[in-house]
Coordinates of all heavy atoms in Angstrom, one line a residue:
M1 N 11.7 -3.7 -31.7 CA 11.2 -2.3 -31.6 C 9.8 -2.3 -32.2 O 9.5 -2.9 -33.2 CB 12.1 -1.4 -32.5 CG 11.7 0.0 -32.4 SD 13.2 1.0 -32.6 CE 13.0 1.9 -34.0
T2 N 9.0 -1.6 -31.4 CA 7.6 -1.5 -31.9 C 7.3 -0.1 -32.4 O 7.8 0.9 -32.0 CB 6.6 -1.7 -30.7 OG1 6.9 -0.7 -29.7 CG2 6.8 -3.1 -30.1
D3 N 6.4 0.0 -33.4 CA 6.0 1.2 -34.0 C 4.9 1.9 -33.3 O 4.7 3.1 -33.3 CB 5.7 1.0 -35.5 CG 7.0 0.6 -36.3 OD1 8.1 1.0 -35.9 OD2 6.8 -0.1 -37.2
G4 N 3.9 1.1 -32.8 CA 2.7 1.6 -32.2 C 2.9 1.8 -30.7 O 3.9 1.6 -30.1
P5 N 1.8 2.3 -30.1 CA 1.8 2.6 -28.6 C 1.9 1.2 -27.9 O 1.5 0.2 -28.3 CB 0.5 3.3 -28.3 CG -0.4 3.0 -29.5 CD 0.5 2.7 -30.7
S6 N 2.5 1.3 -26.7 CA 2.7 0.1 -25.9 C 1.3 -0.4 -25.4 O 0.4 0.4 -25.1 CB 3.5 0.5 -24.7 OG 3.6 -0.6 -23.8
T7 N 1.2 -1.7 -25.3 CA -0.1 -2.3 -24.9 C -0.2 -2.3 -23.4 O -1.3 -2.6 -22.9 CB -0.3 -3.7 -25.5 OG1 0.8 -4.5 -25.1 CG2 -0.4 -3.6 -27.0
T8 N 0.9 -2.2 -22.7 CA 0.9 -2.2 -21.2 C 0.4 -0.8 -20.7 O 0.9 0.2 -21.2 CB 2.2 -2.5 -20.6 OG1 3.2 -1.6 -21.0 CG2 2.6 -3.9 -21.0
R9 N -0.5 -0.8 -19.9 CA -1.1 0.4 -19.4 C -0.4 0.9 -18.2 O -0.2 0.2 -17.2 CB -2.6 0.1 -19.0 CG -3.4 1.3 -18.6 CD -4.8 0.9 -18.5 NE -5.5 1.9 -17.6 CZ -5.9 1.6 -16.4 NH1 -5.7 0.4 -15.9 NH2 -6.5 2.5 -15.7
Q10 N 0.1 2.1 -18.2 CA 0.8 2.8 -17.1 C -0.3 3.2 -16.1 O -1.2 3.9 -16.5 CB 1.6 3.9 -17.6 CG 2.7 3.6 -18.5 CD 3.9 2.9 -17.7 OE1 4.0 3.0 -16.5 NE2 4.7 2.1 -18.4
R11 N -0.1 2.9 -14.8 CA -1.0 3.4 -13.8 C -0.5 4.8 -13.3 O 0.6 5.1 -13.1 CB -0.9 2.5 -12.6 CG -1.7 1.2 -12.9 CD -1.8 0.3 -11.7 NE -2.7 1.1 -10.8 CZ -2.8 0.8 -9.5 NH1 -2.0 -0.1 -9.0 NH2 -3.5 1.5 -8.7
D12 N -1.5 5.7 -13.2 CA -1.2 7.0 -12.7 C -2.0 7.2 -11.4 O -3.2 7.4 -11.4 CB -1.7 8.1 -13.8 CG -1.5 9.5 -13.3 OD1 -0.8 9.7 -12.3 OD2 -1.9 10.4 -14.0
E13 N -1.3 7.0 -10.3 CA -1.9 7.0 -9.0 C -2.4 8.3 -8.6 O -3.0 8.5 -7.5 CB -1.0 6.3 -8.0 CG -0.9 4.9 -8.2 CD -0.2 4.2 -7.0 OE1 0.2 4.8 -6.0 OE2 0.0 3.0 -7.1
T14 N -2.2 9.4 -9.4 CA -2.7 10.7 -9.0 C -4.1 10.9 -9.5 O -4.8 11.8 -9.1 CB -1.8 11.8 -9.6 OG1 -1.8 11.7 -11.1 CG2 -0.4 11.7 -9.1
K15 N -4.6 10.0 -10.4 CA -6.0 10.0 -10.8 C -6.9 9.4 -9.8 O -6.5 8.5 -9.1 CB -6.1 9.2 -12.1 CG -5.5 9.8 -13.3 CD -5.6 9.0 -14.6 CE -7.0 8.8 -15.0 NZ -7.2 8.1 -16.2
V16 N -8.0 10.0 -9.6 CA -9.0 9.6 -8.6 C -9.4 8.1 -8.8 O -9.4 7.4 -7.8 CB -10.2 10.5 -8.6 CG1 -11.3 9.9 -7.7 CG2 -9.9 11.9 -8.1
T17 N -9.6 7.7 -10.0 CA -10.0 6.3 -10.3 C -8.9 5.3 -10.1 O -9.2 4.1 -10.1 CB -10.6 6.2 -11.7 OG1 -9.6 6.7 -12.6 CG2 -11.9 7.1 -11.8
E18 N -7.7 5.7 -9.9 CA -6.6 4.8 -9.8 C -6.1 4.7 -8.3 O -5.0 4.1 -8.1 CB -5.4 5.2 -10.7 CG -5.7 5.2 -12.1 CD -5.9 3.8 -12.7 OE1 -5.2 2.8 -12.1 OE2 -6.7 3.6 -13.6
Q19 N -6.7 5.4 -7.4 CA -6.3 5.4 -6.0 C -6.4 4.0 -5.4 O -7.3 3.2 -5.8 CB -7.2 6.3 -5.2 CG -7.0 7.8 -5.6 CD -5.6 8.3 -5.4 OE1 -5.0 8.1 -4.3 NE2 -5.1 9.0 -6.4
P20 N -5.5 3.6 -4.5 CA -5.6 2.3 -3.9 C -6.9 2.0 -3.2 O -7.3 0.8 -3.2 CB -4.4 2.3 -2.9 CG -3.5 3.3 -3.4 CD -4.3 4.4 -4.1
A21 N -7.6 3.0 -2.7 CA -8.9 2.7 -2.1 C -9.9 2.3 -3.1 O -11.0 1.7 -2.7 CB -9.4 4.0 -1.4
L22 N -9.7 2.5 -4.4 CA -10.6 2.0 -5.4 C -10.1 0.9 -6.3 O -10.7 0.4 -7.2 CB -11.1 3.2 -6.3 CG -11.9 4.2 -5.6 CD1 -12.2 5.4 -6.6 CD2 -13.2 3.7 -5.1
T23 N -8.8 0.5 -6.0 CA -8.2 -0.5 -6.8 C -7.7 -1.8 -6.1 O -7.9 -2.9 -6.6 CB -7.1 0.1 -7.6 OG1 -6.1 0.6 -6.8 CG2 -7.6 1.1 -8.6
T24 N -7.1 -1.6 -4.9 CA -6.5 -2.7 -4.3 C -7.0 -3.0 -2.8 O -6.6 -3.9 -2.2 CB -4.9 -2.5 -4.2 OG1 -4.7 -1.3 -3.4 CG2 -4.3 -2.4 -5.6
S25 N -7.8 -2.1 -2.3 CA -8.3 -2.3 -0.9 C -9.2 -3.5 -0.8 O -9.8 -4.0 -1.8 CB -9.1 -1.0 -0.6 OG -9.7 -1.2 0.7
T26 N -9.3 -4.0 0.4 CA -10.2 -5.1 0.7 C -11.6 -4.6 0.9 O -12.6 -5.4 0.9 CB -9.7 -5.9 1.9 OG1 -9.8 -5.1 3.1 CG2 -8.4 -6.5 1.7
G27 N -11.8 -3.4 1.2 CA -13.1 -2.8 1.6 C -13.3 -2.6 3.0 O -14.2 -1.9 3.5
R28 N -12.4 -3.2 3.8 CA -12.5 -3.0 5.3 C -12.4 -1.6 5.7 O -13.1 -1.1 6.6 CB -11.4 -3.8 6.0 CG -11.5 -3.8 7.5 CD -10.4 -4.6 8.1 NE -9.1 -4.1 7.6 CZ -7.9 -4.4 8.1 NH1 -7.9 -5.2 9.1 NH2 -6.8 -3.9 7.6
E29 N -11.5 -0.8 5.0 CA -11.4 0.6 5.4 C -12.7 1.4 5.1 O -13.0 2.3 5.9 CB -10.2 1.3 4.6 CG -8.9 0.7 4.8 CD -8.6 -0.6 4.0 OE1 -9.4 -1.0 3.2 OE2 -7.5 -1.1 4.1
W30 N -13.4 1.1 4.0 CA -14.6 1.7 3.7 C -15.7 1.4 4.8 O -16.4 2.3 5.2 CB -15.2 1.3 2.4 CG -14.4 1.9 1.2 CD1 -13.6 1.2 0.4 CD2 -14.5 3.3 0.8 NE1 -13.1 2.1 -0.6 CE2 -13.6 3.4 -0.3 CE3 -15.1 4.4 1.3 CZ2 -13.4 4.6 -1.0 CZ3 -14.9 5.6 0.6 CH2 -14.1 5.7 -0.5
L31 N -15.7 0.2 5.3 CA -16.6 -0.2 6.4 C -16.3 0.5 7.7 O -17.2 1.0 8.4 CB -16.6 -1.7 6.6 CG -17.3 -2.5 5.5 CD1 -17.2 -4.0 5.8 CD2 -18.8 -2.1 5.3
I32 N -15.0 0.6 8.0 CA -14.6 1.3 9.2 C -15.0 2.8 9.2 O -15.6 3.3 10.1 CB -13.1 1.1 9.5 CG1 -12.8 -0.3 9.8 CG2 -12.6 2.1 10.6 CD1 -11.3 -0.7 9.8
L33 N -14.7 3.4 8.1 CA -15.0 4.9 7.9 C -16.5 5.0 7.8 O -17.1 6.0 8.4 CB -14.4 5.4 6.6 CG -12.9 5.6 6.7 CD1 -12.3 6.0 5.4 CD2 -12.5 6.6 7.8
G34 N -17.2 4.1 7.2 CA -18.7 4.2 7.2 C -19.3 4.1 8.6 O -20.3 4.8 8.9
A35 N -18.8 3.2 9.4 CA -19.3 3.0 10.7 C -19.0 4.3 11.6 O -19.8 4.7 12.3 CB -18.6 1.8 11.4
L36 N -17.8 4.9 11.4 CA -17.5 6.2 12.1 C -18.4 7.3 11.6 O -18.9 8.0 12.4 CB -16.0 6.6 11.8 CG -15.0 5.7 12.5 CD1 -13.6 6.1 12.1 CD2 -15.1 5.9 14.0
L37 N -18.7 7.4 10.3 CA -19.6 8.4 9.8 C -21.0 8.2 10.3 O -21.7 9.1 10.7 CB -19.5 8.4 8.3 CG -20.5 9.4 7.6 CD1 -20.1 10.9 8.0 CD2 -20.4 9.3 6.1
A38 N -21.4 6.9 10.3 CA -22.7 6.6 10.8 C -22.8 7.0 12.3 O -23.9 7.6 12.7 CB -23.1 5.1 10.7
A39 N -21.8 6.7 13.1 CA -21.8 7.1 14.5 C -21.9 8.6 14.7 O -22.7 9.1 15.5 CB -20.6 6.6 15.2
V40 N -21.1 9.4 13.9 CA -21.2 10.8 14.0 C -22.5 11.3 13.6 O -23.1 12.2 14.2 CB -20.0 11.5 13.2 CG1 -20.2 13.0 13.1 CG2 -18.7 11.1 13.9
S41 N -23.0 10.8 12.5 CA -24.3 11.2 12.0 C -25.5 10.9 13.0 O -26.3 11.8 13.2 CB -24.6 10.5 10.6 OG -23.7 10.8 9.7
L42 N -25.4 9.8 13.6 CA -26.5 9.4 14.5 C -26.3 10.3 15.8 O -27.4 10.7 16.4 CB -26.4 8.0 14.9 CG -26.8 7.0 13.8 CD1 -26.6 5.5 14.2 CD2 -28.2 7.2 13.3
A43 N -25.1 10.7 16.2 CA -24.9 11.5 17.3 C -25.5 12.9 17.1 O -25.9 13.6 18.0 CB -23.4 11.6 17.6
V44 N -25.6 13.3 15.8 CA -26.2 14.6 15.5 C -27.7 14.5 15.2 O -28.5 15.3 15.7 CB -25.5 15.2 14.2 CG1 -26.2 16.5 13.8 CG2 -24.0 15.5 14.6
L45 N -28.1 13.4 14.5 CA -29.5 13.3 14.1 C -30.4 12.9 15.2 O -31.5 13.4 15.3 CB -29.6 12.3 12.9 CG -29.0 12.7 11.6 CD1 -29.0 11.6 10.6 CD2 -29.7 13.9 11.0
L46 N -30.0 12.0 16.1 CA -30.9 11.6 17.2 C -31.3 12.7 18.1 O -32.5 12.8 18.5 CB -30.3 10.4 17.9 CG -30.2 9.1 17.0 CD1 -29.6 8.0 17.8 CD2 -31.6 8.7 16.5
P47 N -30.4 13.6 18.5 CA -30.8 14.7 19.4 C -31.8 15.6 18.6 O -32.7 16.2 19.2 CB -29.5 15.4 19.7 CG -28.5 14.4 19.7 CD -28.9 13.5 18.6
L48 N -31.5 15.8 17.3 CA -32.4 16.6 16.5 C -33.9 16.0 16.4 O -34.8 16.8 16.2 CB -31.9 16.7 15.0 CG -30.8 17.7 14.8 CD1 -30.3 17.7 13.4 CD2 -31.2 19.1 15.2
S49 N -34.0 14.7 16.6 CA -35.3 14.1 16.5 C -36.2 14.6 17.7 O -37.4 14.4 17.6 CB -35.2 12.6 16.5 OG -34.7 12.1 17.7
G50 N -35.6 15.1 18.8 CA -36.4 15.7 19.8 C -37.1 17.0 19.4 O -38.2 17.3 19.9
M51 N -36.5 17.7 18.5 CA -37.1 18.9 18.0 C -38.2 18.6 16.9 O -39.2 19.2 16.9 CB -36.0 19.8 17.3 CG -35.0 20.3 18.2 SD -33.6 21.2 17.5 CE -34.2 21.6 15.8
R52 N -37.9 17.7 16.1 CA -38.8 17.3 15.0 C -38.6 15.8 14.7 O -37.6 15.4 14.1 CB -38.5 18.2 13.8 CG -39.6 18.2 12.8 CD -39.3 19.1 11.7 NE -40.1 18.6 10.6 CZ -40.2 19.1 9.4 NH1 -39.5 20.2 9.2 NH2 -41.0 18.6 8.6
V53 N -39.5 15.0 15.1 CA -39.3 13.6 15.1 C -39.2 13.0 13.7 O -38.4 12.1 13.4 CB -40.5 12.9 15.9 CG1 -40.3 11.4 15.8 CG2 -40.5 13.4 17.3
D54 N -40.0 13.4 12.8 CA -40.1 12.7 11.5 C -38.9 12.7 10.7 O -38.3 11.7 10.3 CB -41.3 13.1 10.7 CG -41.3 14.7 10.5 OD1 -40.5 15.3 11.1 OD2 -42.2 15.1 9.7
L55 N -38.4 13.8 10.3 CA -37.2 14.0 9.4 C -35.9 13.4 10.0 O -35.3 12.6 9.3 CB -37.1 15.4 8.9 CG -36.0 15.6 7.9 CD1 -36.3 14.9 6.6 CD2 -35.8 17.1 7.6
P56 N -35.4 13.9 11.2 CA -34.2 13.3 11.7 C -34.2 11.8 11.9 O -33.2 11.1 11.7 CB -33.9 14.1 13.0 CG -34.7 15.4 12.8 CD -35.9 15.0 12.0
A57 N -35.4 11.3 12.4 CA -35.5 9.9 12.6 C -35.4 9.1 11.3 O -34.8 8.1 11.2 CB -36.8 9.5 13.3
A58 N -36.1 9.6 10.2 CA -36.0 9.0 8.9 C -34.6 9.1 8.4 O -34.1 8.1 7.8 CB -37.0 9.7 8.0
G59 N -33.9 10.2 8.5 CA -32.5 10.3 8.1 C -31.6 9.3 8.8 O -30.7 8.7 8.2
A60 N -31.8 9.2 10.1 CA -31.0 8.2 10.9 C -31.3 6.8 10.4 O -30.3 6.0 10.2 CB -31.3 8.3 12.4
G61 N -32.5 6.5 10.0 CA -32.8 5.2 9.5 C -32.2 4.9 8.2 O -31.6 3.8 7.9
V62 N -32.2 5.9 7.3 CA -31.5 5.8 6.0 C -30.0 5.6 6.2 O -29.4 4.8 5.5 CB -31.8 7.0 5.1 CG1 -31.0 7.0 3.8 CG2 -33.3 7.0 4.8
V63 N -29.4 6.4 7.1 CA -28.0 6.2 7.4 C -27.7 4.8 7.8 O -26.7 4.1 7.3 CB -27.5 7.2 8.4 CG1 -26.1 6.9 9.0 CG2 -27.5 8.6 7.8
L64 N -28.5 4.2 8.7 CA -28.3 2.8 9.1 C -28.5 1.8 8.0 O -27.7 0.9 7.9 CB -29.2 2.5 10.3 CG -28.8 3.2 11.6 CD1 -29.9 2.8 12.7 CD2 -27.5 2.7 12.1
L65 N -29.5 2.1 7.1 CA -29.7 1.2 6.0 C -28.5 1.3 5.0 O -28.1 0.2 4.5 CB -31.0 1.6 5.3 CG -32.2 1.2 6.0 CD1 -33.5 1.7 5.2 CD2 -32.3 -0.3 6.1
L66 N -27.9 2.4 4.8 CA -26.8 2.6 3.9 C -25.5 1.8 4.5 O -24.8 1.2 3.8 CB -26.4 4.0 3.7 CG -27.4 4.7 2.7 CD1 -27.2 6.3 2.8 CD2 -27.3 4.2 1.3
L67 N -25.4 1.9 5.9 CA -24.3 1.2 6.5 C -24.5 -0.3 6.3 O -23.5 -1.0 6.0 CB -24.2 1.6 8.0 CG -23.1 0.9 8.8 CD1 -21.7 1.3 8.2 CD2 -23.1 1.3 10.2
I68 N -25.7 -0.8 6.5 CA -26.0 -2.2 6.3 C -25.7 -2.6 4.9 O -25.1 -3.6 4.6 CB -27.4 -2.5 6.7 CG1 -27.5 -2.4 8.3 CG2 -27.8 -3.9 6.3 CD1 -29.0 -2.4 8.8
G69 N -26.1 -1.7 3.9 CA -25.9 -1.9 2.5 C -24.4 -2.0 2.2 O -24.0 -2.8 1.4
M70 N -23.6 -1.3 2.9 CA -22.1 -1.4 2.7 C -21.6 -2.7 3.1 O -20.8 -3.3 2.4 CB -21.4 -0.3 3.5 CG -21.6 1.1 2.9 SD -20.7 2.4 3.9 CE -19.0 2.1 3.5
G71 N -22.1 -3.2 4.2 CA -21.7 -4.6 4.7 C -22.1 -5.7 3.7 O -21.4 -6.6 3.4
V72 N -23.4 -5.5 3.2 CA -23.9 -6.5 2.3 C -23.1 -6.4 1.0 O -22.7 -7.5 0.4 CB -25.4 -6.3 2.0 CG1 -25.9 -7.1 0.8 CG2 -26.2 -6.6 3.2
A73 N -22.8 -5.2 0.5 CA -22.0 -5.1 -0.7 C -20.6 -5.7 -0.6 O -20.1 -6.3 -1.5 CB -21.9 -3.6 -1.1
R74 N -20.0 -5.5 0.5 CA -18.6 -6.0 0.7 C -18.7 -7.6 0.7 O -17.8 -8.2 0.1 CB -18.0 -5.6 2.0 CG -16.6 -6.1 2.2 CD -15.9 -5.5 3.3 NE -14.5 -5.9 3.3 CZ -14.0 -6.7 4.3 NH1 -14.8 -7.1 5.3 NH2 -12.7 -7.1 4.2
A75 N -19.7 -8.1 1.2 CA -19.8 -9.6 1.2 C -20.3 -10.2 -0.1 O -20.0 -11.3 -0.5 CB -20.7 -10.0 2.4
A76 N -21.2 -9.4 -0.8 CA -21.9 -10.0 -1.9 C -21.3 -9.7 -3.3 O -21.5 -10.5 -4.3 CB -23.3 -9.6 -1.9
I77 N -20.5 -8.7 -3.5 CA -20.0 -8.3 -4.8 C -18.6 -9.0 -5.0 O -17.6 -8.6 -4.2 CB -19.9 -6.8 -5.0 CG1 -21.3 -6.2 -4.8 CG2 -19.3 -6.5 -6.3 CD1 -21.4 -4.7 -4.9
P78 N -18.5 -9.9 -5.9 CA -17.2 -10.6 -6.0 C -16.0 -9.8 -6.7 O -14.9 -10.0 -6.3 CB -17.5 -11.8 -6.9 CG -18.8 -11.5 -7.6 CD -19.5 -10.4 -6.8
R79 N -16.4 -9.0 -7.6 CA -15.3 -8.2 -8.3 C -14.8 -7.1 -7.5 O -15.6 -6.3 -7.0 CB -15.8 -7.7 -9.7 CG -16.0 -8.9 -10.7 CD -16.3 -8.4 -12.1 NE -15.6 -7.2 -12.5 CZ -16.2 -6.2 -13.0 NH1 -17.5 -6.2 -13.2 NH2 -15.5 -5.1 -13.4
R80 N -13.5 -7.1 -7.2 CA -12.9 -6.1 -6.3 C -13.3 -4.6 -6.7 O -13.7 -3.9 -5.9 CB -11.4 -6.3 -6.2 CG -10.8 -5.3 -5.3 CD -9.3 -5.4 -5.3 NE -8.9 -6.8 -5.0 CZ -8.2 -7.1 -3.9 NH1 -7.8 -6.2 -3.0 NH2 -7.9 -8.3 -3.7
R81 N -13.0 -4.3 -7.9 CA -13.2 -2.9 -8.3 C -14.7 -2.5 -8.2 O -15.0 -1.4 -7.7 CB -12.7 -2.6 -9.7 CG -12.8 -1.2 -10.2 CD -11.7 -0.9 -11.2 NE -11.8 0.4 -11.7 CZ -11.2 1.5 -11.2 NH1 -10.4 1.3 -10.2 NH2 -11.3 2.7 -11.7
A82 N -15.6 -3.3 -8.7 CA -17.0 -3.0 -8.5 C -17.4 -2.9 -7.1 O -18.2 -2.0 -6.7 CB -17.8 -4.1 -9.2
R83 N -16.9 -3.8 -6.2 CA -17.2 -3.7 -4.8 C -16.7 -2.4 -4.2 O -17.4 -1.8 -3.4 CB -16.5 -4.9 -4.1 CG -16.8 -5.0 -2.6 CD -16.2 -6.2 -2.0 NE -14.8 -6.4 -2.2 CZ -14.2 -7.4 -2.8 NH1 -14.9 -8.4 -3.3 NH2 -12.9 -7.4 -3.0
L84 N -15.5 -2.0 -4.5 CA -14.9 -0.8 -3.9 C -15.6 0.4 -4.4 O -15.9 1.4 -3.6 CB -13.4 -0.7 -4.2 CG -12.6 -1.9 -3.5 CD1 -11.2 -1.8 -4.0 CD2 -12.7 -1.8 -2.0
I85 N -16.0 0.5 -5.6 CA -16.8 1.6 -6.2 C -18.1 1.7 -5.5 O -18.6 2.8 -5.1 CB -16.8 1.6 -7.7 CG1 -15.4 1.9 -8.3 CG2 -17.9 2.6 -8.2 CD1 -15.3 1.7 -9.8
T86 N -18.8 0.5 -5.3 CA -20.1 0.5 -4.7 C -20.0 1.0 -3.2 O -20.8 1.8 -2.8 CB -20.6 -0.9 -4.7 OG1 -20.8 -1.4 -6.0 CG2 -22.0 -1.0 -4.0
L87 N -18.9 0.6 -2.5 CA -18.7 1.0 -1.1 C -18.5 2.5 -1.1 O -19.0 3.2 -0.2 CB -17.5 0.3 -0.5 CG -17.8 -1.2 -0.2 CD1 -16.5 -1.8 0.2 CD2 -18.8 -1.3 0.9
A88 N -17.7 3.1 -2.1 CA -17.5 4.5 -2.1 C -18.7 5.3 -2.4 O -19.0 6.3 -1.7 CB -16.4 4.8 -3.2
V89 N -19.6 4.8 -3.3 CA -20.8 5.5 -3.6 C -21.8 5.4 -2.4 O -22.4 6.5 -2.0 CB -21.5 4.8 -4.8 CG1 -22.9 5.3 -5.0 CG2 -20.7 5.1 -6.1
L90 N -21.9 4.3 -1.7 CA -22.7 4.2 -0.5 C -22.2 5.1 0.6 O -23.0 5.7 1.3 CB -22.8 2.8 0.0 CG -23.6 1.8 -0.9 CD1 -23.4 0.4 -0.5 CD2 -25.1 2.2 -1.0
F91 N -20.9 5.2 0.8 CA -20.3 6.1 1.8 C -20.7 7.6 1.4 O -21.1 8.3 2.3 CB -18.8 5.9 1.8 CG -18.1 6.8 2.8 CD1 -18.0 6.4 4.1 CD2 -17.6 8.0 2.5 CE1 -17.4 7.2 5.1 CE2 -16.9 8.8 3.4 CZ -16.9 8.4 4.7
G92 N -20.6 7.9 0.2 CA -20.9 9.3 -0.3 C -22.4 9.6 0.0 O -22.8 10.7 0.4
L93 N -23.2 8.6 -0.3 CA -24.7 8.8 -0.1 C -25.0 9.0 1.4 O -25.8 9.8 1.8 CB -25.5 7.6 -0.7 CG -25.6 7.6 -2.2 CD1 -26.2 6.2 -2.6 CD2 -26.4 8.7 -2.7
M94 N -24.2 8.2 2.2 CA -24.5 8.4 3.7 C -24.1 9.8 4.1 O -24.9 10.4 4.9 CB -23.6 7.3 4.4 CG -23.9 7.3 5.9 SD -22.7 6.2 6.8 CE -22.9 4.6 5.9
A95 N -23.0 10.3 3.6 CA -22.6 11.7 4.0 C -23.6 12.7 3.5 O -24.0 13.6 4.2 CB -21.2 12.0 3.4
L96 N -24.1 12.5 2.2 CA -25.1 13.4 1.6 C -26.4 13.4 2.4 O -27.0 14.4 2.7 CB -25.3 13.0 0.2 CG -26.2 13.9 -0.6 CD1 -25.5 15.3 -0.8 CD2 -26.4 13.3 -2.0
V97 N -26.9 12.2 2.7 CA -28.2 12.1 3.4 C -28.0 12.7 4.8 O -28.9 13.5 5.2 CB -28.6 10.6 3.6 CG1 -29.7 10.4 4.6 CG2 -29.0 10.0 2.2
S98 N -26.9 12.5 5.5 CA -26.7 13.1 6.8 C -26.7 14.6 6.8 O -27.4 15.3 7.5 CB -25.4 12.6 7.4 OG -25.4 11.2 7.6
L99 N -25.9 15.1 5.8 CA -25.8 16.6 5.7 C -27.2 17.2 5.3 O -27.6 18.2 5.9 CB -24.8 17.0 4.7 CG -24.6 18.5 4.5 CD1 -24.1 19.1 5.8 CD2 -23.6 18.7 3.3
A100 N -27.8 16.6 4.3 CA -29.1 17.2 3.9 C -30.2 17.1 5.0 O -30.9 18.1 5.2 CB -29.6 16.4 2.7
T101 N -30.2 16.0 5.7 CA -31.2 15.9 6.8 C -30.9 17.0 7.9 O -31.9 17.6 8.4 CB -31.1 14.5 7.5 OG1 -31.3 13.5 6.4 CG2 -32.1 14.3 8.5
V102 N -29.7 17.2 8.3 CA -29.3 18.2 9.3 C -29.7 19.6 8.8 O -30.3 20.4 9.5 CB -27.8 18.1 9.7 CG1 -27.4 19.3 10.5 CG2 -27.6 16.8 10.5
L103 N -29.4 19.9 7.5 CA -29.6 21.2 7.0 C -31.1 21.5 6.9 O -31.6 22.6 7.2 CB -29.0 21.4 5.6 CG -27.5 21.5 5.6 CD1 -26.9 21.6 4.2 CD2 -27.0 22.7 6.5
I104 N -31.9 20.5 6.5 CA -33.4 20.7 6.3 C -34.0 20.8 7.7 O -34.8 21.7 7.9 CB -34.0 19.5 5.5 CG1 -33.5 19.5 4.1 CG2 -35.5 19.5 5.6 CD1 -33.9 18.3 3.3
A105 N -33.5 20.0 8.7 CA -34.1 20.1 10.0 C -33.8 21.4 10.7 O -34.6 22.0 11.4 CB -33.6 18.9 10.9
A106 N -32.5 21.8 10.5 CA -32.1 23.1 11.1 C -32.9 24.3 10.4 O -33.3 25.2 11.1 CB -30.6 23.3 10.9
T107 N -33.1 24.2 9.1 CA -33.9 25.3 8.4 C -35.3 25.3 8.9 O -35.9 26.3 9.1 CB -33.8 25.0 6.9 OG1 -32.4 25.0 6.5 CG2 -34.5 26.1 6.2
A108 N -35.9 24.1 9.1 CA -37.3 24.0 9.5 C -37.4 24.5 11.0 O -38.4 25.1 11.3 CB -37.7 22.6 9.4
A109 N -36.4 24.3 11.8 CA -36.4 24.7 13.2 C -36.3 26.3 13.3 O -36.9 26.9 14.1 CB -35.3 24.1 14.0
L110 N -35.6 26.9 12.3 CA -35.5 28.3 12.3 C -36.7 29.0 11.8 O -37.0 30.2 12.1 CB -34.2 28.7 11.5 CG -32.9 28.3 12.1 CD1 -31.8 28.7 11.1 CD2 -32.7 29.0 13.4
G111 N -37.4 28.3 10.9 CA -38.5 29.0 10.2 C -39.8 28.7 10.7 O -40.4 28.4 11.6

């Protein structure tokens, strides 16, 4: 019988940081979703570049660089958890850059 708390850590899969996508995944899912997000982003950003070339084209370039960064991170980071968190952050940045670029370009087109 032990008097103190147990040293084995219970996993709570309802916590965001304990989700399988951040703990046990190979990272392939992040790359697939990243490629899909990049495709959708480019399908929106490239037609916008006809209205205003500089910003949507730069946003599309950043999206592609983030997708390439996801591939490099998956291949180069040996620790699974660090690799998965890096992929998640890069995916989030890709979504943020895409949304911000579209909103800024749309606002500029209206004004």
